């Protein structure tokens, strides 16, 4: 582990006092912080308060739909937070969107008011991607005595986004006119927000956060296209109960009315916007 582990522990110590201290690791280099947490099945791998893994360099980070998320050391945040799941414990369907909500709000608190959430898991400024969240679940292996786990992986561009060469619009915090916090401090703020939000999201989902969600939802009121089929809709907003995107079909009057798009099934973009 890198020497910054102790410093990050200090930043997070008070954030999870309700359930005991989170386990914290800062690594110099790893293929994927999320894979690292998913594959560690040691007996003490996951305290109830959660486990945080931050990497200075991530060589095979994973994004949604199999995309890579690889950045230069300290230009970006490569961070994952994991919690245990007991047999029968249910993760509310809106939990992944809730992670995007609390991370957006954390960046607002740091002075980046233009950051929004593009359903289901992108942090954006205007049309440019700032970061992304990938939430994964692993079922308990009861026969082996291994608990299940919920892992939220966060990739965020702190600086240097022009070097990523992703073939689509990207940005970083340094380009927003407000100097970004230091690498470790920023990671600590993001991890702390997830640690604080997890018990609340598990208990309530987003049922009590409709107005907050509407404040960061950048697709609401926009015309969007379903990439897989080319269907076009008017986005009505994110459903706080289900975490789905509410849309109305504008192409076929016969199929008209409200529909729900599920993040596992579709990816959407604004009309005429090439990603």
């Amino acid at each position: 582990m890198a020497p910054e582990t102790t410093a990050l522990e200090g930043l997070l110590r008070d954030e999870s006092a309700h359930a005991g201290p989170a386990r914290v690791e800062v690594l110099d280099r790893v293929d994927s912080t999320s894979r690292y947490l998913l594959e560690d099945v040691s007996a003490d791998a996951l305290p109830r308060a959660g486990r945080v893994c931050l990497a200075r360099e991530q060589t095979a980070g994973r994004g949604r739909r199999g995309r890579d998320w690889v950045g230069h050391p300290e230009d970006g945040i490569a961070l994952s937070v994991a919690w245990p799941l007991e047999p029968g414990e249910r993760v509310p369907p809106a939990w992944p969107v809730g992670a995007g909500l609390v991370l957006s709000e954390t960046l607002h608190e740091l002075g980046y008011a233009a950051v929004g959430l593009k359903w289901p898991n992108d942090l954006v400024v205007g049309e440019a991607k700032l970061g992304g969240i990938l939430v994964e679940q692993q079922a308990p292996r009861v026969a082996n005595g291994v608990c299940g786990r919920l892992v939220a992986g966060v990739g965020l561009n702190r600086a240097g986004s022009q070097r990523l060469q992703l073939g689509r619009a990207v940005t970083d915090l340094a380009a927003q006119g407000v100097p970004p916090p230091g690498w470790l401090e920023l990671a600590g703020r993001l991890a702390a927000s997830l640690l604080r939000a997890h018990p609340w999201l598990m208990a309530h989902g987003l049922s009590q956060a409709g107005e907050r969600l509407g404040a960061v939802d950048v697709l609401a009121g926009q015309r969007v296209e379903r990439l897989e089929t080319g269907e076009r809709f008017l986005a009505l907003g994110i459903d706080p109960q289900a975490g789905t995107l509410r849309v109305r079909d504008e192409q076929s009057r016969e199929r008209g009315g409200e529909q729900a798009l599920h993040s596992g099934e579709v990816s959407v973009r604004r009309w005429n916007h090439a990603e």
Side-chain angles (χ1 to χ4, degrees), residues 100-159:
L101 169 64
V102 299
L103 292 177
S104 298
E105 292 178 334
T106 299
L107 292 170
H108 292 177
E109 293 168 2
L110 290 171
Y112 303 101
V115 175
L117 176 64
K118 179 187 172 188
W119 180 90
N121 66 340
D122 283 349
L123 300 172
V124 298
V125 176
E127 301 288 0
K129 183 169 180 174
L130 175 70
I133 307 126
L134 179 65
V135 177
E136 301 174 88
Q137 292 185 52
Q138 188 176 86
R141 286 178 257 174
V142 179
N144 297 326
V146 178
C147 70
R149 57 199 62 200
L150 172 69
V151 180
V154 181
L156 185 77
N157 299 327
R158 179 176 171 270

Side-chain angles (χ1 to χ4, degrees), residues 172-184:
D172 54 52
L173 294 182
Q176 307 310 312
V178 178
W183 173 74
L184 197 66

Side-chain angles (χ1 to χ4, degrees), residues 69-84:
W69 188 280
V70 179
H72 295 267
E74 297 196 19
D75 272 359
I77 300 297
L79 167 74
S80 292
V81 186
W83 299 267

Side-chain angles (χ1 to χ4, degrees), residues 25 87 97 110 138 240-241 267:
E25 295 163 276
V97 173
L110 290 171
Q138 188 176 86
Q241 296 286 344
S267 181

